[in-house]
Amino acid sequence: MLHNSHLYHEAKHGFAKRGIDVGEVKLNLDQLLADKDKAVSGLTRGIEMLFKKNKVEWLKGLGTLKSANDIEVSLNAGGKESIKAKNIIIATGSEPSPFPGFEIDEKQIITSTGALALEKVPEKMIVIGGGVIGLELGSVWSRLGAEVTVVEFLPAIGAGMDAELAKAFQRSLSKQGIKFKTSTKVVDSEKKDGKVLVNVEGVKNGKKEALEADVVLLSVGRRPYTEGLGLENVGIKPDSRGRVEMADNQFRTSVPNIRVIGDATVGPMLAHKAEEEGIAAVEYITNGHGHVNYNVIPSVIYTHPEVAWVGKNEQQLKEEGVKYKIGSFPFAANSRAKTIDDAEGLVKIITDAETDRILGAHIIGPNAGEMIAEACLAMEYGGSAEDVARTCHAHPTMSEAFKEACMAAYSKPIHF
């Protein structure tokens, strides 16, 4: 939906200046949602094929721990089945966190689940929470025609993002028509005359205000999904946030043969982080060795422009007392970005002031989610900015902006 809504917005607002006349552009929301469903089912069937290929039996149902080695499965098709296991990995993922004062119906007061299935474009949408999910889905419905307002408790959007990029990101989304109310506390809500009224107040000044919308999207984070898992049956106690804690760095819980990975435990709730942990957990079970470098777990926001980062940001390094250098390069000086008229944003590289080792990389701009992989590879092998800068990059490509930012970090760029 992010991709297709961007294409729709481009066709409606960007094609004419490129010399492409397409006449009146109309939204077929039913087809857009059908295309989304097709993509989801295709990926799901792909996983099922991988199960068969690797001789993995898939029991479809709700699994409940009965003991450290026994699991009872309430099958979707009806009935129950009991299985025994020498080793168990909890990988149950997460679900949207509820919010006090809001009753979710997935029609007017929705989570990310409902936001992927709205039957019509709302006239007004309020997004509660300026994190990744809220900004992505808010961006989708904004492109499709909704008037979107994001309400965020913190003074800036994109929690965890480098402050410089967060400001640039908010400016970019504001230019696209999304409104922001930062440093704003959400109090409660009520439904009235087919609308949802959201009562808010300023964090600093306490100023009260009532916002009206057709749809309210709750995107205040996610919580581990452990309902019905039977943790109490084996003596595993979740922490205050519902996460299953690891007892060691091999993903073991307090019960040695039961391990936990992904959203169900601590750390960023990212699919690629869970994948790395899943591989490592199995490696520990089979040969006693596994590897996950938590300093090199990238984050991506798939809006337009995209935002991606990995490693430390400036605020973190200041708090840690680490001396650092910065190299940045704007896409406005990148030939590929300029020629396709998609030159908003920059690449920012942060290095150790003494060793030139890359400590963090932060990108806002076209293809940021793809470009961040180069930073991850360099950081995984302890690479320096000069290492990347002295590596030939194809011309003309967006990746040259990454090279030039690295050049700026240890010396100077040649195109800016």
Side-chain angles (χ1 to χ4, degrees):
M1 288 180 71
L2 280 159
H3 179 68
N4 285 349
S5 64
H6 174 62
L7 292 179
Y8 169 74
H9 190 268
E10 275 293 288
K12 199 172 181 68
H13 303 285
F15 276 12
K17 68 179 180 180
R18 299 178 186 275
I20 305 172
D21 293 325
V22 294
E24 185 181 4
V25 177
K26 295 182 179 180
L27 173 66
N28 184 336
L29 184 58
D30 290 340
Q31 181 56 41
L32 188 144
L33 294 175
D35 192 58
K36 176 264 300 181
D37 292 338
K38 177 184 176 184
V40 172
S41 62
L43 292 171
T44 304
R45 287 196 302 272
I47 296 297
E48 189 165 9
M49 288 179 63
L50 287 172
F51 278 166
K52 292 178 180 178
K53 179 181 178 180
N54 291 281
K55 297 180 174 59
V56 175
E57 183 182 2
W58 183 4
L59 292 180
K60 300 179 181 180
L62 176 67
T64 302
L65 294 167
K66 291 300 182 180
S67 73
N69 299 103
D70 295 284
I71 301 171
E72 182 181 83
V73 182
S74 298
L75 300 171
N76 292 346
K80 295 183 179 182
E81 184 169 338
S82 297
I83 55 176
K84 284 189 171 291
K86 181 180 179 181
N87 293 286
I88 297 170
I89 298 177
I90 297 172
T92 48
S94 60
E95 62 181 351
S97 297
F99 195 83
F102 289 80
E103 186 175 338
I104 297 168
D105 57 18
E106 299 297 10
K107 296 293 183 182
Q108 281 190 289
I109 299 178
I110 63 176
T111 66
S112 55
T113 302
L116 295 172
L118 289 177
E119 295 177 354
K120 66 177 182 178
V121 178
E123 202 171 307
K124 291 184 178 181
M125 171 182 278
I126 292 174
V127 177
I128 298 177
V132 175
I133 295 173
L135 295 175
E136 287 181 341
L137 291 172
S139 182
V140 166
W141 291 104
S142 174
R143 292 171 190 161
L144 297 180
E147 181 183 310
V148 175
T149 299
V150 177
V151 181
E152 170 57 48
F153 182 82
L154 297 174
I157 63 171
M161 191 186 300
D162 183 86
E164 180 183 0
L165 265 69
K167 291 178 182 178
F169 189 32
Q170 184 170 333
R171 284 197 303 269
S172 177
L173 294 179
S174 295
K175 286 190 294 183
Q176 295 175 31
I178 297 178
K179 300 175 183 178
F180 291 92
K181 286 186 174 294
T182 54
S183 297
T184 301
K185 177 183 177 181
V186 175
V187 180
D188 57 24
S189 70
E190 62 174 312
K191 292 181 180 179
K192 187 177 181 181
D193 300 327
K195 305 287 185 180
V196 182
L197 298 179
V198 179
N199 296 308
V200 302
E201 62 182 44
V203 173
K204 296 179 181 178
N205 57 22
K207 181 182 177 182
K208 299 182 185 298
E209 186 179 2
L211 307 176
E212 183 183 271
D214 301 285
V215 172
V216 175
L217 168 60
L218 298 178
S219 55
V220 291
R222 299 180 66 83
R223 64 182 182 182
Y225 183 75
T226 56
E227 183 181 353
L229 188 55
L231 296 175
E232 67 282 359
N233 296 335
V234 293
I236 296 176
K237 295 182 179 181
D239 67 11
S240 59
R241 296 173 62 180
R243 300 174 300 189
V244 179
E245 293 185 288
M246 287 183 267
D248 59 20
N249 62 0
Q250 297 187 20
F251 309 100
R252 292 191 182 100
T253 65
S254 56
V255 180
N257 72 303
I258 300 178
R259 287 173 161 84
V260 61
I261 65 163
D263 290 6
T265 188
V266 297
M269 290 184 170
L270 299 168
H272 44 278
K273 174 256 195 185
E275 181 178 323
E276 295 300 310
E277 289 181 333
I279 293 170
V282 172
E283 288 177 334
Y284 277 121
I285 291 172
T286 56
N287 59 39
H289 303 283
H291 166 80
V292 178
N293 183 352
Y294 289 100
N295 292 318
V296 189
I297 302 291
S299 295
V300 183
I301 303 181
Y302 297 97
T303 49
H304 192 88
E306 288 186 350
V307 186
W309 66 93
V310 65
K312 302 287 187 177
N313 59 40
E314 275 199 79
Q315 303 94 293
Q316 292 170 324
L317 293 173
K318 286 177 181 177
E319 291 171 2
E320 295 171 8
V322 176
K323 294 181 180 179
Y324 62 89
K325 289 183 178 180
I326 292 175
S328 63
F329 190 84
F331 282 104
N334 175 266
S335 58
R336 179 68 180 273
K338 285 175 70 69
T339 54
I340 66 171
D341 194 22
D342 195 2
E344 186 176 13
L346 58 90
V347 179
K348 179 178 180 180
I349 303 295
I350 307 177
T351 63
D352 186 284
E354 295 181 2
T355 66
D356 191 42
R357 183 171 180 169
I358 298 174
L359 302 177
H362 307 269
I363 308 171
I364 176 170
N367 289 355
E370 301 291 341
M371 289 175 62
I372 202 66
E374 182 171 10
C376 295
L377 185 62
M379 291 174 65
E380 185 67 42
Y381 286 92
S384 67
E386 185 175 359
D387 288 333
V388 175
R390 292 191 179 279
T391 301
C392 184
H393 288 59
H395 173 79
T397 60
M398 305 291 188
S399 65
E400 289 177 286
F402 191 91
K403 171 179 176 165
E404 296 256 14
C406 287
M407 292 178 72
Y410 87 92
S411 179
K412 60 178 292 185
I414 60 173
H415 290 104
F416 183 70

